[in-house]
């Protein structure tokens, strides 16, 4: 199964947005094992202080590593998703204006602005948003009945904006699910936080359609994109077409076993930050960045990639080589990105050596 727009079929090729001619040789960086950090954890906004009360997803994930983040890691040191009380509200009984139900087809369309849906078990339902400022929180989703143009569990149309998904669990394939995407947003503004996103045939998160708005993905656990077979090309994040004002991907944990996927491809953004993430598994590369028109030379402000911890034993590398440490782009910054296996630090040679 493949997504319904053009993407290359080989997961280990450069993404469509980065021409092979841009690739550069990146120096291996400082391979001296990092010294123990003297970090004031209380000063870090790692998300742990606002985490829900629930069962931690992977408490032993980092025990084998010689080096690990000094802060609290999502899904390892604190849990994400809904609280211990499993969502039980029936979507068929949603009583509010601005929500259209088709009970026979198990489809929900949010047509009114400022709608909040809290505590629902959306298993078997598709959710499509056409309005502004929708919040989906403390809820459960699966991929049994995907909707929208990308066969997504949650789909925001071009008329939608400022979609927020928080404290949710979205499983796109288990139990007979068939989702191509978990979340696909075609309008400006997307925030995902404290959520557990897992199992898609193609992308976990897609941002297409209209330009504008920000992308915020933080304090979440993401895993198993591109599970649709040998012709699939997945992504943890794919920005296809629109220009985004700012992209911020912060303090997430990403785990991939098998499948065919790239990591977070933060294309067409004016500025942003990729920081504090813990990244493990068999992707091509874990991150890429470009400005408008998929060219890193067009970044308006800084895109900072810093303090990420990764294991690329089963990947091609941490970053796509077109934009990385010591590249030719003045607004891309790489600082203190740490290989958890070797202790190698990937960063610009002009930066002082920070302690991870």
């Amino acid at each position: 199964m493949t997504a319904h727009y053009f993407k290359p079929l080989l997961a280990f090729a450069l993404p469509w947005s980065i021409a092979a001619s841009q690739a550069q040789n990146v120096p291996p960086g400082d391979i001296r094992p990092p010294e123990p950090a003297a970090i004031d954890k209380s000063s870090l906004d790692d998300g742990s202080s606002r985490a829900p009360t629930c069962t931690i997803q992977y408490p032993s994930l980092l025990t084998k590593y010689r080096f690990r983040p000094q802060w609290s890691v999502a899904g390892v040191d604190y849990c994400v998703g809904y609280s211990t009380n499993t969502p039980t509200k029936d979507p068929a009984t949603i009583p509010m204006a601005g929500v259209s139900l088709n009970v026979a087809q198990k489809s929900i369309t949010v047509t009114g602005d400022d709608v909040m849906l809290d505590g629902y078990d959306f298993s078997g339902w598709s959710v499509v948003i056409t309005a502004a400022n929708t919040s989906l929180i403390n809820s459960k989703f699966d991929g049994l009945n995907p909707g929208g143009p990308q066969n997504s569990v949650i789909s925001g149309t071009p008329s939608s904006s400022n979609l927020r998904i928080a404290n949710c669990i979205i499983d796109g394939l288990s139990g007979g699910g068939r989702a191509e995407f978990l979340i696909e947003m075609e309008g400006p503004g997307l925030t995902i936080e404290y959520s557990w996103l897992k199992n898609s045939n193609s992308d976990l998160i897609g941002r297409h359609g209209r330009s504008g708005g920000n992308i915020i993905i933080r304090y979440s656990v993401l895993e198993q994109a591109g599970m649709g077979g040998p012709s699939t090309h997945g992504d943890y994040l794919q920005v296809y077409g629109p220009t985004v004002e700012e992209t911020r991907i912060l303090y997430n944990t990403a785990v991939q076993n098998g499948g065919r996927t790239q990591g977070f491809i933060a294309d067409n953004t004016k500025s942003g930050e990729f920081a504090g993430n813990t990244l493990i598994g068999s992707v091509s590369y874990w991150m890429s960045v470009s400005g408008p028109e998929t060219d890193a030379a067009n970044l308006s402000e800084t895109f900072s990639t810093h303090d990420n911890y990764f294991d690329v034993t089963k990947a091609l590398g941490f970053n796509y080589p077109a934009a990385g440490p010591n590249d030719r782009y003045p607004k891309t910054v790489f600082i203190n990105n740490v290989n958890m296996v070797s202790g190698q630090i990937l960063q610009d040679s002009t930066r002082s050596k920070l302690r991870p």
Side-chain angles (χ1 to χ4, degrees):
M1 301 178 71
T2 56
H4 301 288
Y5 57 85
F6 173 77
K7 299 178 78 173
L9 297 180
L10 295 177
F12 294 108
L14 286 176
W16 70 272
S17 60
I18 301 177
S21 61
Q22 290 182 288
Q24 302 175 44
N25 294 322
V26 179
D30 178 10
I31 60 174
R32 181 184 63 187
E35 299 176 12
I39 291 178
D40 178 7
K41 295 182 183 180
S42 65
S43 67
L44 296 174
D45 186 12
D46 60 17
S48 58
S49 64
R50 300 179 300 281
T53 301
C54 50
T55 302
I56 295 175
Q57 280 76 14
Y58 298 114
S60 301
L61 182 67
L62 302 180
T63 56
K64 70 177 183 180
Y65 290 106
R66 187 178 175 191
F67 310 99
R68 60 148 288 169
Q70 299 294 298
W71 49 86
S72 295
V73 175
V76 177
D77 302 308
Y78 64 89
C79 78
V80 302
Y82 45 75
S83 63
T84 304
N85 297 322
T86 302
T88 57
K89 292 182 184 178
D90 183 356
T93 65
I94 293 175
M96 65 185 66
V99 179
S100 175
L101 302 178
N102 186 323
V103 177
Q105 296 185 7
K106 285 197 167 183
S107 66
I108 296 169
T109 304
V110 179
T111 59
D113 293 347
D114 305 310
V115 166
M116 177 183 291
L117 298 176
D118 183 353
Y120 285 90
D121 183 352
F122 289 105
S123 299
W125 289 76
S126 63
V127 179
V128 176
I129 296 100
T130 65
N133 307 321
T134 299
S135 294
L136 304 173
I137 62 176
N138 298 313
S139 293
K140 177 182 179 182
F141 300 82
D142 64 23
L144 292 175
N145 187 25
Q150 305 294 344
N151 287 327
S152 306
V153 177
I154 300 169
S155 180
T157 70
S159 64
S160 67
S161 60
N162 299 324
L163 170 62
R164 178 175 179 256
I165 298 167
N167 298 95
C168 291
I169 296 178
I170 307 174
D171 189 337
L173 298 180
S174 296
R178 55 188 182 88
E180 294 295 317
F181 286 40
L182 300 188
I183 300 164
E184 198 260 332
M185 183 61 173
E186 296 189 355
L190 174 63
T191 297
I192 301 166
E193 55 189 356
Y194 293 106
S195 293
W196 188 7
L197 277 57
K198 54 183 176 178
N199 302 320
S200 66
N201 276 322
S202 187
D203 294 4
L204 296 182
I205 304 164
R207 173 67 175 91
H208 309 142
R210 292 168 55 202
S211 292
N214 300 331
I215 297 173
I216 300 173
I217 305 168
R218 60 186 178 184
Y219 319 137
S220 293
V221 175
L222 304 95
E223 58 181 306
Q224 301 303 90
M227 303 304 291
S231 64
T232 301
H233 184 102
D235 297 273
Y236 276 61
L237 168 68
Q238 174 72 49
V239 181
Y240 185 85
T243 295
V244 176
E245 293 297 317
E246 183 179 52
T247 301
R248 303 187 74 217
I249 303 169
L250 306 173
Y251 294 103
N252 302 286
T253 299
V255 181
Q256 184 74 23
N257 293 297
R260 298 177 68 82
T261 187
Q262 303 177 129
F264 298 90
I265 309 302
D267 279 336
N268 297 321
T269 188
K270 293 182 179 179
S271 65
E273 185 178 17
F274 186 85
N277 300 292
T278 304
L279 311 162
I280 301 169
S282 55
V283 303
S284 53
Y285 295 90
W286 272 115
M287 66 83 60
S288 177
V289 57
S290 71
E293 300 179 5
T294 62
D295 188 342
N298 294 336
L299 286 163
S300 301
E301 301 294 337
T302 298
F303 192 102
S304 179
T305 300
H306 66 91
D307 297 293
N308 299 284
Y309 280 67
F310 57 87
D311 176 357
V312 291
T313 305
K314 297 181 180 180
L316 293 184
F318 169 65
N319 62 283
Y320 268 101
N326 304 313
D327 61 29
R328 60 188 176 88
Y329 303 111
K331 290 187 170 62
T332 59
V333 175
F334 286 78
I335 302 174
N336 202 45
N337 301 290
V338 181
N339 187 315
M340 293 189 293
V341 177
S342 67
Q344 180 185 20
I345 300 173
L346 296 182
Q347 67 175 26
D348 297 328
S349 60
T350 57
R351 305 289 169 177
S352 61
K353 293 188 171 57
L354 303 179
R355 295 176 178 179

